[in-house]
Amino acid sequence: MKKTVSVIIPAYKEEKSIEEVISKIIKELENEINFEIIVIVDKAKDDRTDEIVGNLSKDFAQIKMILRNGKNGVAKAIEDGIKEAKNEIIVIAMADGSEDAHELKKIMNKMDEDFDTVYGNRFLNGAGMKNYPGQKYFFNRICNLVIRLIFKIPSTDITNAAKAYKSEILKEIKITSKGFEVFAELPIKSYLLGYKNITEVAIIHDAGMKNTSKFALRKEGIQYVKTVSYTHLTLPTKA
């Protein structure tokens, strides 16, 4: 039997891509999977993301928007989405369309085999990456290697956002991250809590044309190190 899915989309200043991302997900899933789409929008001045999502929600009952004032961070957005999720599986989708809806559906479909978590892996045979900055790629490989060695998680792409989890797992986790390091925190804590029935599917990832500054990479790297170190030294606590 097909499992029901909650798709969580954090969005901040994504007016250029959000409509296409949501529309593709709906087109890919409708008539096949019982789903809901929870969009957490951080309202920004002179940005129409909330307006676009609001208009879409009038046409599609599956869409629910959580509107927040100011920039509250991707980790808090995901936490709010997890609390709101009603279905058996939770999938986090990026509002910039880094993974196409077809790639996300491959992850969802694999969950029908009753895994705890399905990882979308950008480095398996048959996978691919487009427009990924060289410095970020280098940092990604080092970070994933360190996490794999410390926590013994059998994956080469632990930090990728594109994963599907049983909802009950994420609802147990107390999120301590503030930013994108949440995408390392969730699989690490899930694994440490004993949910080790995981598998991977090869996916295509497109980083788009967004530039990541050296300062942003350094700041992001520091947050990843803090998250990994803290989790290594303390047991993951339930929410």
Side-chain angles (χ1 to χ4, degrees):
M1 180 179 292
K2 302 292 292 183
K3 294 186 182 296
T4 60
V5 179
S6 296
V7 181
I8 296 174
I9 306 178
Y12 176 70
K13 292 186 176 180
E14 298 288 358
E15 63 179 16
K16 293 181 180 180
S17 59
I18 193 67
E19 183 170 4
E20 182 179 5
V21 167
I22 293 175
S23 298
K24 283 185 174 181
I25 291 173
I26 291 174
K27 184 177 180 181
E28 195 71 44
L29 302 186
E30 64 182 351
N31 302 322
E32 291 188 39
I33 297 174
N34 186 346
F35 69 97
E36 63 178 353
I37 300 175
I38 304 168
V39 189
I40 304 90
V41 180
D42 281 359
K43 177 64 177 173
K45 185 179 180 181
D46 301 323
D47 178 77
R48 296 179 53 251
T49 302
D50 60 315
E51 178 186 337
I52 294 168
V53 176
N55 287 336
L56 285 170
S57 69
K58 295 176 184 177
D59 296 324
F60 299 99
Q62 299 98 326
I63 300 172
K64 177 170 185 177
M65 179 171 65
I66 299 174
L67 185 60
R68 312 185 305 177
N69 290 321
K71 189 176 182 180
N72 295 278
V74 64
K76 187 62 171 64
I78 290 170
E79 182 181 6
D80 289 349
I82 290 170
K83 290 177 181 177
E84 192 65 33
K86 301 295 191 296
N87 289 335
E88 297 168 278
I89 296 168
I90 291 176
V91 174
I92 300 167
M94 302 308 291
D96 61 1
S98 300
E99 276 80 27
D100 187 77
H102 178 70
E103 303 299 308
L104 295 175
K105 189 169 78 169
K106 289 196 301 187
I107 298 171
M108 298 175 197
N109 286 340
K110 198 66 177 175
M111 286 294 288
D112 290 333
E113 299 177 29
D114 208 32
F115 290 101
D116 294 327
T117 311
V118 174
Y119 291 20
N121 192 316
R122 299 165 287 185
F123 305 98
L124 295 175
N125 289 335
M129 299 179 69
K130 303 175 183 178
N131 303 307
Y132 205 79
Q135 278 190 319
K136 193 170 184 179
Y137 179 89
F138 177 77
F139 167 74
N140 177 290
R141 296 295 76 211
I142 295 297
C143 184
N144 273 277
L145 176 61
V146 170
I147 293 173
R148 190 165 72 251
L149 291 175
I150 292 175
F151 299 104
K152 313 301 182 185
I153 300 174
S155 172
T156 57
D157 201 7
I158 300 160
T159 59
N160 189 18
K163 293 180 177 65
Y165 299 84
K166 287 183 177 178
S167 295
E168 63 203 61
I169 296 174
L170 294 190
K171 289 180 182 292
E172 287 186 14
I173 294 173
K174 181 178 180 180
I175 294 174
T176 57
S177 297
K178 303 299 181 184
F180 287 92
E181 70 275 12
V182 69
F183 297 122
E185 180 183 11
L186 293 178
I188 290 172
K189 287 188 174 179
S190 171
Y191 197 77
L192 293 181
L193 283 168
Y195 298 104
K196 298 183 178 182
N197 184 20
I198 64 176
T199 193
E200 300 179 296
V201 296
I203 61 169
I204 305 297
H205 175 92
D206 189 347
M209 300 305 293
K210 291 183 179 180
N211 293 319
T212 305
S213 68
K214 289 183 180 179
F215 173 77
L217 276 174
R218 184 164 60 249
K219 181 180 178 182
E220 186 175 308
I222 291 171
Q223 293 304 317
Y224 271 85
V225 170
K226 286 182 178 178
T227 294
V228 172
S229 300
Y230 179 78
T231 306
H232 179 52
L233 295 172
T234 61
L235 291 174
T237 56
K238 298 184 179 183

